[in-house]
Amino acid sequence: MKQKLLLLSLSLLLLTFTKVNAQGYNTGVGFRAGGFENGLTIKHFVKSDTAIEGILGFRPGVFVVTGLYEKHATAFSEPSLKWYYGAGAHIGGIDDGRRYRRYFGDDEFYDKGLLLGADAILGLEWQMPEIPFTLGVDLHPRLELAKGPFLDIEPGFSLRFVF
């Protein structure tokens, strides 16, 4: 029985990898390292060229949840390379009045409170051949309204497992 279950699991895994390599991917889950927060990211395609992305970011004393709507297109005539752009919003909080560092500009000190604002993203993503992972780099401008207003541009790097 264990051998049949193992064989079935390996077969499903192989089918998943084959689909990923042949047709792109539907969903990717992974990590994002950014100029502000580091955290988790999930991207799901609702159409072949349209995705929604969620980012849960953390840094000492701060958490931020970001939602983005993104359009994707082939970059440099290479099917495994996609550029994308999009827009969305973020909400979060400062829980203990630590320094809230802006990427460009001086550090600013804020008391506890709400973070809320508008976001954009411009990036490039590479789907690795033969394995179900993507690497991405992006610029993530954000307009902070609740503690601002001010505009910052956060560079980021993502690694996702795709299926």
Side-chain angles (χ1 to χ4, degrees), residues 121-159:
I121 196 160
L122 174 64
L124 190 62
E125 184 177 71
W126 174 56
Q127 186 172 349
M128 297 180 199
E130 307 298 326
I131 60 174
F133 285 93
T134 63
L135 286 174
V137 294
D138 63 65
L139 290 176
H140 180 194
R142 338 194 256 200
L143 176 62
E144 177 56 43
L145 299 172
K147 294 290 185 185
F150 61 83
L151 177 67
D152 278 319
I153 300 175
E154 176 189 36
F157 169 80
S158 298
L159 175 66

PDB file of all heavy atoms in Angstrom, residues 121-159:
ATOM      1  N   ILE A 121       3.897  48.600  -8.622  1.00  0.00           N
ATOM      2  CA  ILE A 121       5.011  47.659  -8.739  1.00  0.00           C
ATOM      3  C   ILE A 121       5.424  47.564 -10.200  1.00  0.00           C
ATOM      4  O   ILE A 121       4.594  47.668 -11.102  1.00  0.00           O
ATOM      5  CB  ILE A 121       4.655  46.271  -8.164  1.00  0.00           C
ATOM      6  CG1 ILE A 121       5.930  45.441  -7.936  1.00  0.00           C
ATOM      7  CG2 ILE A 121       3.644  45.539  -9.040  1.00  0.00           C
ATOM      8  CD1 ILE A 121       5.760  44.295  -6.970  1.00  0.00           C
ATOM      9  N   LEU A 122       6.723  47.421 -10.419  1.00  0.00           N
ATOM     10  CA  LEU A 122       7.291  47.202 -11.742  1.00  0.00           C
ATOM     11  C   LEU A 122       8.410  46.194 -11.553  1.00  0.00           C
ATOM     12  O   LEU A 122       9.322  46.420 -10.755  1.00  0.00           O
ATOM     13  CB  LEU A 122       7.851  48.504 -12.327  1.00  0.00           C
ATOM     14  CG  LEU A 122       8.591  48.380 -13.652  1.00  0.00           C
ATOM     15  CD1 LEU A 122       7.645  47.908 -14.767  1.00  0.00           C
ATOM     16  CD2 LEU A 122       9.222  49.706 -14.028  1.00  0.00           C
ATOM     17  N   GLY A 123       8.311  45.043 -12.261  1.00  0.00           N
ATOM     18  CA  GLY A 123       9.301  44.007 -12.014  1.00  0.00           C
ATOM     19  C   GLY A 123       9.583  43.124 -13.206  1.00  0.00           C
ATOM     20  O   GLY A 123       8.967  43.247 -14.269  1.00  0.00           O
ATOM     21  N   LEU A 124      10.521  42.220 -12.992  1.00  0.00           N
ATOM     22  CA  LEU A 124      10.944  41.237 -13.978  1.00  0.00           C
ATOM     23  C   LEU A 124      11.037  39.898 -13.261  1.00  0.00           C
ATOM     24  O   LEU A 124      11.634  39.817 -12.185  1.00  0.00           O
ATOM     25  CB  LEU A 124      12.308  41.635 -14.545  1.00  0.00           C
ATOM     26  CG  LEU A 124      12.835  40.890 -15.748  1.00  0.00           C
ATOM     27  CD1 LEU A 124      11.921  41.077 -16.959  1.00  0.00           C
ATOM     28  CD2 LEU A 124      14.238  41.393 -16.090  1.00  0.00           C
ATOM     29  N   GLU A 125      10.437  38.854 -13.862  1.00  0.00           N
ATOM     30  CA  GLU A 125      10.388  37.532 -13.229  1.00  0.00           C
ATOM     31  C   GLU A 125      10.882  36.473 -14.196  1.00  0.00           C
ATOM     32  O   GLU A 125      10.496  36.465 -15.361  1.00  0.00           O
ATOM     33  CB  GLU A 125       8.958  37.227 -12.786  1.00  0.00           C
ATOM     34  CG  GLU A 125       8.804  35.934 -12.044  1.00  0.00           C
ATOM     35  CD  GLU A 125       7.380  35.728 -11.574  1.00  0.00           C
ATOM     36  OE1 GLU A 125       6.492  35.475 -12.422  1.00  0.00           O
ATOM     37  OE2 GLU A 125       7.142  35.836 -10.361  1.00  0.00           O
ATOM     38  N   TRP A 126      11.725  35.590 -13.694  1.00  0.00           N
ATOM     39  CA  TRP A 126      12.274  34.491 -14.493  1.00  0.00           C
ATOM     40  C   TRP A 126      11.798  33.175 -13.932  1.00  0.00           C
ATOM     41  O   TRP A 126      12.003  32.879 -12.758  1.00  0.00           O
ATOM     42  CB  TRP A 126      13.795  34.557 -14.479  1.00  0.00           C
ATOM     43  CG  TRP A 126      14.476  33.406 -15.156  1.00  0.00           C
ATOM     44  CD1 TRP A 126      14.296  32.984 -16.436  1.00  0.00           C
ATOM     45  CD2 TRP A 126      15.461  32.539 -14.591  1.00  0.00           C
ATOM     46  NE1 TRP A 126      15.107  31.910 -16.705  1.00  0.00           N
ATOM     47  CE2 TRP A 126      15.840  31.612 -15.581  1.00  0.00           C
ATOM     48  CE3 TRP A 126      16.066  32.463 -13.336  1.00  0.00           C
ATOM     49  CZ2 TRP A 126      16.782  30.622 -15.359  1.00  0.00           C
ATOM     50  CZ3 TRP A 126      17.004  31.478 -13.125  1.00  0.00           C
ATOM     51  CH2 TRP A 126      17.357  30.571 -14.134  1.00  0.00           C
ATOM     52  N   GLN A 127      11.145  32.378 -14.780  1.00  0.00           N
ATOM     53  CA  GLN A 127      10.743  31.034 -14.385  1.00  0.00           C
ATOM     54  C   GLN A 127      11.873  30.080 -14.738  1.00  0.00           C
ATOM     55  O   GLN A 127      12.242  29.933 -15.904  1.00  0.00           O
ATOM     56  CB  GLN A 127       9.463  30.601 -15.082  1.00  0.00           C
ATOM     57  CG  GLN A 127       8.976  29.268 -14.568  1.00  0.00           C
ATOM     58  CD  GLN A 127       7.620  28.900 -15.107  1.00  0.00           C
ATOM     59  OE1 GLN A 127       6.936  29.713 -15.711  1.00  0.00           O
ATOM     60  NE2 GLN A 127       7.230  27.667 -14.880  1.00  0.00           N
ATOM     61  N   MET A 128      12.436  29.458 -13.722  1.00  0.00           N
ATOM     62  CA  MET A 128      13.588  28.579 -13.921  1.00  0.00           C
ATOM     63  C   MET A 128      13.198  27.358 -14.733  1.00  0.00           C
ATOM     64  O   MET A 128      12.154  26.762 -14.478  1.00  0.00           O
ATOM     65  CB  MET A 128      14.147  28.135 -12.575  1.00  0.00           C
ATOM     66  CG  MET A 128      14.679  29.239 -11.742  1.00  0.00           C
ATOM     67  SD  MET A 128      15.304  28.549 -10.196  1.00  0.00           S
ATOM     68  CE  MET A 128      15.332  30.001  -9.203  1.00  0.00           C
ATOM     69  N   PRO A 129      14.011  26.987 -15.706  1.00  0.00           N
ATOM     70  CA  PRO A 129      13.705  25.783 -16.477  1.00  0.00           C
ATOM     71  C   PRO A 129      13.941  24.528 -15.638  1.00  0.00           C
ATOM     72  O   PRO A 129      14.835  24.502 -14.790  1.00  0.00           O
ATOM     73  CB  PRO A 129      14.668  25.849 -17.664  1.00  0.00           C
ATOM     74  CG  PRO A 129      15.765  26.752 -17.222  1.00  0.00           C
ATOM     75  CD  PRO A 129      15.201  27.667 -16.190  1.00  0.00           C
ATOM     76  N   GLU A 130      13.114  23.527 -15.865  1.00  0.00           N
ATOM     77  CA  GLU A 130      13.262  22.205 -15.257  1.00  0.00           C
ATOM     78  C   GLU A 130      12.936  22.127 -13.781  1.00  0.00           C
ATOM     79  O   GLU A 130      12.827  21.033 -13.252  1.00  0.00           O
ATOM     80  CB  GLU A 130      14.672  21.627 -15.480  1.00  0.00           C
ATOM     81  CG  GLU A 130      15.127  21.608 -16.927  1.00  0.00           C
ATOM     82  CD  GLU A 130      14.241  20.746 -17.819  1.00  0.00           C
ATOM     83  OE1 GLU A 130      13.726  19.713 -17.356  1.00  0.00           O
ATOM     84  OE2 GLU A 130      14.056  21.130 -18.983  1.00  0.00           O
ATOM     85  N   ILE A 131      12.815  23.236 -13.067  1.00  0.00           N
ATOM     86  CA  ILE A 131      12.432  23.187 -11.659  1.00  0.00           C
ATOM     87  C   ILE A 131      11.322  24.207 -11.417  1.00  0.00           C
ATOM     88  O   ILE A 131      11.263  25.236 -12.093  1.00  0.00           O
ATOM     89  CB  ILE A 131      13.620  23.427 -10.710  1.00  0.00           C
ATOM     90  CG1 ILE A 131      14.260  24.791 -10.947  1.00  0.00           C
ATOM     91  CG2 ILE A 131      14.654  22.319 -10.837  1.00  0.00           C
ATOM     92  CD1 ILE A 131      15.341  25.136  -9.934  1.00  0.00           C
ATOM     93  N   PRO A 132      10.434  23.948 -10.460  1.00  0.00           N
ATOM     94  CA  PRO A 132       9.261  24.811 -10.272  1.00  0.00           C
ATOM     95  C   PRO A 132       9.516  26.016  -9.360  1.00  0.00           C
ATOM     96  O   PRO A 132       8.898  26.164  -8.308  1.00  0.00           O
ATOM     97  CB  PRO A 132       8.249  23.855  -9.661  1.00  0.00           C
ATOM     98  CG  PRO A 132       9.087  22.925  -8.849  1.00  0.00           C
ATOM     99  CD  PRO A 132      10.346  22.733  -9.657  1.00  0.00           C
ATOM    100  N   PHE A 133      10.424  26.900  -9.778  1.00  0.00           N
ATOM    101  CA  PHE A 133      10.712  28.104  -9.015  1.00  0.00           C
ATOM    102  C   PHE A 133      10.811  29.297  -9.946  1.00  0.00           C
ATOM    103  O   PHE A 133      11.162  29.156 -11.116  1.00  0.00           O
ATOM    104  CB  PHE A 133      12.042  27.971  -8.247  1.00  0.00           C
ATOM    105  CG  PHE A 133      11.945  27.093  -7.042  1.00  0.00           C
ATOM    106  CD1 PHE A 133      12.254  25.753  -7.138  1.00  0.00           C
ATOM    107  CD2 PHE A 133      11.537  27.603  -5.820  1.00  0.00           C
ATOM    108  CE1 PHE A 133      12.163  24.928  -6.031  1.00  0.00           C
ATOM    109  CE2 PHE A 133      11.442  26.789  -4.710  1.00  0.00           C
ATOM    110  CZ  PHE A 133      11.756  25.445  -4.812  1.00  0.00           C
ATOM    111  N   THR A 134      10.510  30.475  -9.397  1.00  0.00           N
ATOM    112  CA  THR A 134      10.733  31.726 -10.111  1.00  0.00           C
ATOM    113  C   THR A 134      11.612  32.627  -9.249  1.00  0.00           C
ATOM    114  O   THR A 134      11.577  32.572  -8.020  1.00  0.00           O
ATOM    115  CB  THR A 134       9.427  32.478 -10.423  1.00  0.00           C
ATOM    116  OG1 THR A 134       8.788  32.844  -9.203  1.00  0.00           O
ATOM    117  CG2 THR A 134       8.504  31.652 -11.288  1.00  0.00           C
ATOM    118  N   LEU A 135      12.394  33.454  -9.934  1.00  0.00           N
ATOM    119  CA  LEU A 135      13.162  34.521  -9.304  1.00  0.00           C
ATOM    120  C   LEU A 135      12.635  35.832  -9.846  1.00  0.00           C
ATOM    121  O   LEU A 135      12.408  35.964 -11.052  1.00  0.00           O
ATOM    122  CB  LEU A 135      14.642  34.409  -9.650  1.00  0.00           C
ATOM    123  CG  LEU A 135      15.456  33.323  -8.988  1.00  0.00           C
ATOM    124  CD1 LEU A 135      16.868  33.295  -9.581  1.00  0.00           C
ATOM    125  CD2 LEU A 135      15.529  33.544  -7.495  1.00  0.00           C
ATOM    126  N   GLY A 136      12.462  36.805  -8.982  1.00  0.00           N
ATOM    127  CA  GLY A 136      11.966  38.084  -9.438  1.00  0.00           C
ATOM    128  C   GLY A 136      12.675  39.242  -8.768  1.00  0.00           C
ATOM    129  O   GLY A 136      13.135  39.127  -7.625  1.00  0.00           O
ATOM    130  N   VAL A 137      12.791  40.345  -9.485  1.00  0.00           N
ATOM    131  CA  VAL A 137      13.282  41.609  -8.937  1.00  0.00           C
ATOM    132  C   VAL A 137      12.240  42.668  -9.278  1.00  0.00           C
ATOM    133  O   VAL A 137      11.590  42.603 -10.328  1.00  0.00           O
ATOM    134  CB  VAL A 137      14.662  42.010  -9.485  1.00  0.00           C
ATOM    135  CG1 VAL A 137      15.731  41.034  -9.041  1.00  0.00           C
ATOM    136  CG2 VAL A 137      14.652  42.140 -10.988  1.00  0.00           C
ATOM    137  N   ASP A 138      12.073  43.633  -8.380  1.00  0.00           N
ATOM    138  CA  ASP A 138      11.057  44.647  -8.637  1.00  0.00           C
ATOM    139  C   ASP A 138      11.379  45.947  -7.926  1.00  0.00           C
ATOM    140  O   ASP A 138      12.218  45.995  -7.033  1.00  0.00           O
ATOM    141  CB  ASP A 138       9.673  44.147  -8.215  1.00  0.00           C
ATOM    142  CG  ASP A 138       9.564  43.858  -6.735  1.00  0.00           C
ATOM    143  OD1 ASP A 138       9.668  44.801  -5.925  1.00  0.00           O
ATOM    144  OD2 ASP A 138       9.375  42.683  -6.378  1.00  0.00           O
ATOM    145  N   LEU A 139      10.697  46.983  -8.369  1.00  0.00           N
ATOM    146  CA  LEU A 139      10.641  48.266  -7.678  1.00  0.00           C
ATOM    147  C   LEU A 139       9.206  48.453  -7.226  1.00  0.00           C
ATOM    148  O   LEU A 139       8.270  48.279  -8.016  1.00  0.00           O
ATOM    149  CB  LEU A 139      11.064  49.414  -8.592  1.00  0.00           C
ATOM    150  CG  LEU A 139      12.530  49.456  -8.956  1.00  0.00           C
ATOM    151  CD1 LEU A 139      12.795  50.591  -9.946  1.00  0.00           C
ATOM    152  CD2 LEU A 139      13.396  49.633  -7.714  1.00  0.00           C
ATOM    153  N   HIS A 140       9.039  48.813  -5.960  1.00  0.00           N
ATOM    154  CA  HIS A 140       7.720  48.867  -5.346  1.00  0.00           C
ATOM    155  C   HIS A 140       7.506  50.262  -4.733  1.00  0.00           C
ATOM    156  O   HIS A 140       7.753  50.463  -3.547  1.00  0.00           O
ATOM    157  CB  HIS A 140       7.678  47.761  -4.282  1.00  0.00           C
ATOM    158  CG  HIS A 140       6.401  47.662  -3.532  1.00  0.00           C
ATOM    159  ND1 HIS A 140       6.303  46.925  -2.388  1.00  0.00           N
ATOM    160  CD2 HIS A 140       5.183  48.191  -3.731  1.00  0.00           C
ATOM    161  CE1 HIS A 140       5.087  46.992  -1.906  1.00  0.00           C
ATOM    162  NE2 HIS A 140       4.389  47.760  -2.712  1.00  0.00           N
ATOM    163  N   PRO A 141       7.058  51.247  -5.552  1.00  0.00           N
ATOM    164  CA  PRO A 141       6.757  52.567  -5.004  1.00  0.00           C
ATOM    165  C   PRO A 141       5.505  52.514  -4.122  1.00  0.00           C
ATOM    166  O   PRO A 141       4.539  51.830  -4.462  1.00  0.00           O
ATOM    167  CB  PRO A 141       6.502  53.432  -6.236  1.00  0.00           C
ATOM    168  CG  PRO A 141       6.860  52.618  -7.409  1.00  0.00           C
ATOM    169  CD  PRO A 141       6.905  51.201  -6.996  1.00  0.00           C
ATOM    170  N   ARG A 142       5.561  53.224  -2.992  1.00  0.00           N
ATOM    171  CA  ARG A 142       4.407  53.283  -2.110  1.00  0.00           C
ATOM    172  C   ARG A 142       4.181  54.722  -1.642  1.00  0.00           C
ATOM    173  O   ARG A 142       5.131  55.413  -1.299  1.00  0.00           O
ATOM    174  CB  ARG A 142       4.549  52.418  -0.872  1.00  0.00           C
ATOM    175  CG  ARG A 142       5.492  51.317  -0.922  1.00  0.00           C
ATOM    176  CD  ARG A 142       5.277  50.372   0.222  1.00  0.00           C
ATOM    177  NE  ARG A 142       6.291  50.541   1.242  1.00  0.00           N
ATOM    178  CZ  ARG A 142       6.552  49.619   2.129  1.00  0.00           C
ATOM    179  NH1 ARG A 142       5.879  48.502   2.148  1.00  0.00           N
ATOM    180  NH2 ARG A 142       7.473  49.798   3.024  1.00  0.00           N
ATOM    181  N   LEU A 143       2.927  55.087  -1.636  1.00  0.00           N
ATOM    182  CA  LEU A 143       2.512  56.389  -1.127  1.00  0.00           C
ATOM    183  C   LEU A 143       1.885  56.155   0.239  1.00  0.00           C
ATOM    184  O   LEU A 143       0.809  55.563   0.339  1.00  0.00           O
ATOM    185  CB  LEU A 143       1.514  57.051  -2.077  1.00  0.00           C
ATOM    186  CG  LEU A 143       0.918  58.376  -1.622  1.00  0.00           C
ATOM    187  CD1 LEU A 143       2.005  59.431  -1.464  1.00  0.00           C
ATOM    188  CD2 LEU A 143      -0.148  58.830  -2.602  1.00  0.00           C
ATOM    189  N   GLU A 144       2.580  56.545   1.291  1.00  0.00           N
ATOM    190  CA  GLU A 144       2.063  56.388   2.651  1.00  0.00           C
ATOM    191  C   GLU A 144       1.179  57.580   2.976  1.00  0.00           C
ATOM    192  O   GLU A 144       1.621  58.732   2.907  1.00  0.00           O
ATOM    193  CB  GLU A 144       3.214  56.280   3.654  1.00  0.00           C
ATOM    194  CG  GLU A 144       2.778  56.196   5.091  1.00  0.00           C
ATOM    195  CD  GLU A 144       1.824  55.042   5.368  1.00  0.00           C
ATOM    196  OE1 GLU A 144       2.054  53.923   4.872  1.00  0.00           O
ATOM    197  OE2 GLU A 144       0.839  55.283   6.084  1.00  0.00           O
ATOM    198  N   LEU A 145      -0.064  57.299   3.325  1.00  0.00           N
ATOM    199  CA  LEU A 145      -1.023  58.360   3.592  1.00  0.00           C
ATOM    200  C   LEU A 145      -1.269  58.571   5.080  1.00  0.00           C
ATOM    201  O   LEU A 145      -1.379  59.702   5.539  1.00  0.00           O
ATOM    202  CB  LEU A 145      -2.341  58.060   2.875  1.00  0.00           C
ATOM    203  CG  LEU A 145      -2.235  57.970   1.357  1.00  0.00           C
ATOM    204  CD1 LEU A 145      -3.529  57.479   0.746  1.00  0.00           C
ATOM    205  CD2 LEU A 145      -1.821  59.307   0.774  1.00  0.00           C
ATOM    206  N   ALA A 146      -1.353  57.499   5.865  1.00  0.00           N
ATOM    207  CA  ALA A 146      -1.694  57.625   7.282  1.00  0.00           C
ATOM    208  C   ALA A 146      -0.561  58.264   8.092  1.00  0.00           C
ATOM    209  O   ALA A 146      -0.820  59.025   9.012  1.00  0.00           O
ATOM    210  CB  ALA A 146      -2.052  56.259   7.864  1.00  0.00           C
ATOM    211  N   LYS A 147       0.685  57.969   7.785  1.00  0.00           N
ATOM    212  CA  LYS A 147       1.837  58.535   8.504  1.00  0.00           C
ATOM    213  C   LYS A 147       2.564  59.558   7.656  1.00  0.00           C
ATOM    214  O   LYS A 147       3.659  59.966   8.002  1.00  0.00           O
ATOM    215  CB  LYS A 147       2.818  57.421   8.904  1.00  0.00           C
ATOM    216  CG  LYS A 147       2.281  56.459   9.913  1.00  0.00           C
ATOM    217  CD  LYS A 147       2.144  57.131  11.257  1.00  0.00           C
ATOM    218  CE  LYS A 147       1.706  56.127  12.306  1.00  0.00           C
ATOM    219  NZ  LYS A 147       1.449  56.770  13.579  1.00  0.00           N
ATOM    220  N   GLY A 148       1.986  59.966   6.575  1.00  0.00           N
ATOM    221  CA  GLY A 148       2.654  60.856   5.643  1.00  0.00           C
ATOM    222  C   GLY A 148       1.903  62.157   5.493  1.00  0.00           C
ATOM    223  O   GLY A 148       1.473  62.720   6.468  1.00  0.00           O
ATOM    224  N   PRO A 149       1.750  62.562   4.256  1.00  0.00           N
ATOM    225  CA  PRO A 149       2.035  61.781   3.053  1.00  0.00           C
ATOM    226  C   PRO A 149       3.514  61.852   2.650  1.00  0.00           C
ATOM    227  O   PRO A 149       4.148  62.882   2.775  1.00  0.00           O
ATOM    228  CB  PRO A 149       1.163  62.420   1.986  1.00  0.00           C
ATOM    229  CG  PRO A 149       1.027  63.844   2.425  1.00  0.00           C
ATOM    230  CD  PRO A 149       1.087  63.823   3.935  1.00  0.00           C
ATOM    231  N   PHE A 150       4.022  60.714   2.187  1.00  0.00           N
ATOM    232  CA  PHE A 150       5.335  60.663   1.579  1.00  0.00           C
ATOM    233  C   PHE A 150       5.382  59.480   0.630  1.00  0.00           C
ATOM    234  O   PHE A 150       4.598  58.546   0.737  1.00  0.00           O
ATOM    235  CB  PHE A 150       6.476  60.615   2.609  1.00  0.00           C
ATOM    236  CG  PHE A 150       6.448  59.429   3.521  1.00  0.00           C
ATOM    237  CD1 PHE A 150       6.977  58.210   3.142  1.00  0.00           C
ATOM    238  CD2 PHE A 150       5.908  59.548   4.791  1.00  0.00           C
ATOM    239  CE1 PHE A 150       6.967  57.119   4.003  1.00  0.00           C
ATOM    240  CE2 PHE A 150       5.896  58.469   5.653  1.00  0.00           C
ATOM    241  CZ  PHE A 150       6.426  57.249   5.260  1.00  0.00           C
ATOM    242  N   LEU A 151       6.306  59.554  -0.326  1.00  0.00           N
ATOM    243  CA  LEU A 151       6.467  58.526  -1.344  1.00  0.00           C
ATOM    244  C   LEU A 151       7.832  57.889  -1.185  1.00  0.00           C
ATOM    245  O   LEU A 151       8.832  58.596  -1.055  1.00  0.00           O
ATOM    246  CB  LEU A 151       6.334  59.121  -2.746  1.00  0.00           C
ATOM    247  CG  LEU A 151       6.539  58.175  -3.920  1.00  0.00           C
ATOM    248  CD1 LEU A 151       5.430  57.138  -3.977  1.00  0.00           C
ATOM    249  CD2 LEU A 151       6.599  58.954  -5.226  1.00  0.00           C
ATOM    250  N   ASP A 152       7.887  56.569  -1.187  1.00  0.00           N
ATOM    251  CA  ASP A 152       9.137  55.819  -1.149  1.00  0.00           C
ATOM    252  C   ASP A 152       9.131  54.778  -2.251  1.00  0.00           C
ATOM    253  O   ASP A 152       8.067  54.339  -2.686  1.00  0.00           O
ATOM    254  CB  ASP A 152       9.322  55.102   0.185  1.00  0.00           C
ATOM    255  CG  ASP A 152       9.866  56.012   1.255  1.00  0.00           C
ATOM    256  OD1 ASP A 152      10.763  56.816   0.949  1.00  0.00           O
ATOM    257  OD2 ASP A 152       9.401  55.917   2.393  1.00  0.00           O
ATOM    258  N   ILE A 153      10.319  54.377  -2.680  1.00  0.00           N
ATOM    259  CA  ILE A 153      10.455  53.308  -3.670  1.00  0.00           C
ATOM    260  C   ILE A 153      11.293  52.205  -3.038  1.00  0.00           C
ATOM    261  O   ILE A 153      12.456  52.416  -2.712  1.00  0.00           O
ATOM    262  CB  ILE A 153      11.120  53.811  -4.970  1.00  0.00           C
ATOM    263  CG1 ILE A 153      10.288  54.925  -5.586  1.00  0.00           C
ATOM    264  CG2 ILE A 153      11.291  52.649  -5.951  1.00  0.00           C
ATOM    265  CD1 ILE A 153      10.917  55.567  -6.794  1.00  0.00           C
ATOM    266  N   GLU A 154      10.679  51.042  -2.863  1.00  0.00           N
ATOM    267  CA  GLU A 154      11.351  49.906  -2.240  1.00  0.00           C
ATOM    268  C   GLU A 154      11.802  48.911  -3.299  1.00  0.00           C
ATOM    269  O   GLU A 154      10.974  48.383  -4.036  1.00  0.00           O
ATOM    270  CB  GLU A 154      10.395  49.207  -1.271  1.00  0.00           C
ATOM    271  CG  GLU A 154      10.985  47.961  -0.670  1.00  0.00           C
ATOM    272  CD  GLU A 154       9.979  47.154   0.126  1.00  0.00           C
ATOM    273  OE1 GLU A 154       8.799  47.102  -0.257  1.00  0.00           O
ATOM    274  OE2 GLU A 154      10.396  46.565   1.117  1.00  0.00           O
ATOM    275  N   PRO A 155      13.096  48.626  -3.397  1.00  0.00           N
ATOM    276  CA  PRO A 155      13.528  47.529  -4.266  1.00  0.00           C
ATOM    277  C   PRO A 155      13.268  46.202  -3.568  1.00  0.00           C
ATOM    278  O   PRO A 155      13.249  46.133  -2.332  1.00  0.00           O
ATOM    279  CB  PRO A 155      15.027  47.781  -4.444  1.00  0.00           C
ATOM    280  CG  PRO A 155      15.421  48.526  -3.216  1.00  0.00           C
ATOM    281  CD  PRO A 155      14.223  49.330  -2.789  1.00  0.00           C
ATOM    282  N   GLY A 156      13.043  45.141  -4.348  1.00  0.00           N
ATOM    283  CA  GLY A 156      12.775  43.841  -3.755  1.00  0.00           C
ATOM    284  C   GLY A 156      13.247  42.703  -4.617  1.00  0.00           C
ATOM    285  O   GLY A 156      13.497  42.850  -5.823  1.00  0.00           O
ATOM    286  N   PHE A 157      13.355  41.542  -3.991  1.00  0.00           N
ATOM    287  CA  PHE A 157      13.784  40.298  -4.626  1.00  0.00           C
ATOM    288  C   PHE A 157      12.864  39.201  -4.122  1.00  0.00           C
ATOM    289  O   PHE A 157      12.603  39.115  -2.921  1.00  0.00           O
ATOM    290  CB  PHE A 157      15.236  40.021  -4.240  1.00  0.00           C
ATOM    291  CG  PHE A 157      15.718  38.647  -4.599  1.00  0.00           C
ATOM    292  CD1 PHE A 157      16.106  38.353  -5.895  1.00  0.00           C
ATOM    293  CD2 PHE A 157      15.760  37.647  -3.653  1.00  0.00           C
ATOM    294  CE1 PHE A 157      16.544  37.077  -6.222  1.00  0.00           C
ATOM    295  CE2 PHE A 157      16.210  36.379  -3.973  1.00  0.00           C
ATOM    296  CZ  PHE A 157      16.589  36.093  -5.265  1.00  0.00           C
ATOM    297  N   SER A 158      12.334  38.353  -5.028  1.00  0.00           N
ATOM    298  CA  SER A 158      11.414  37.285  -4.637  1.00  0.00           C
ATOM    299  C   SER A 158      11.895  35.930  -5.170  1.00  0.00           C
ATOM    300  O   SER A 158      12.434  35.841  -6.275  1.00  0.00           O
ATOM    301  CB  SER A 158      10.016  37.536  -5.210  1.00  0.00           C
ATOM    302  OG  SER A 158       9.486  38.722  -4.696  1.00  0.00           O
ATOM    303  N   LEU A 159      11.652  34.912  -4.374  1.00  0.00           N
ATOM    304  CA  LEU A 159      11.855  33.524  -4.767  1.00  0.00           C
ATOM    305  C   LEU A 159      10.570  32.794  -4.426  1.00  0.00           C
ATOM    306  O   LEU A 159      10.138  32.808  -3.278  1.00  0.00           O
ATOM    307  CB  LEU A 159      13.037  32.906  -4.014  1.00  0.00           C
ATOM    308  CG  LEU A 159      13.274  31.417  -4.252  1.00  0.00           C
ATOM    309  CD1 LEU A 159      13.692  31.151  -5.705  1.00  0.00           C
ATOM    310  CD2 LEU A 159      14.320  30.869  -3.290  1.00  0.00           C
TER     311      LEU A 159
END
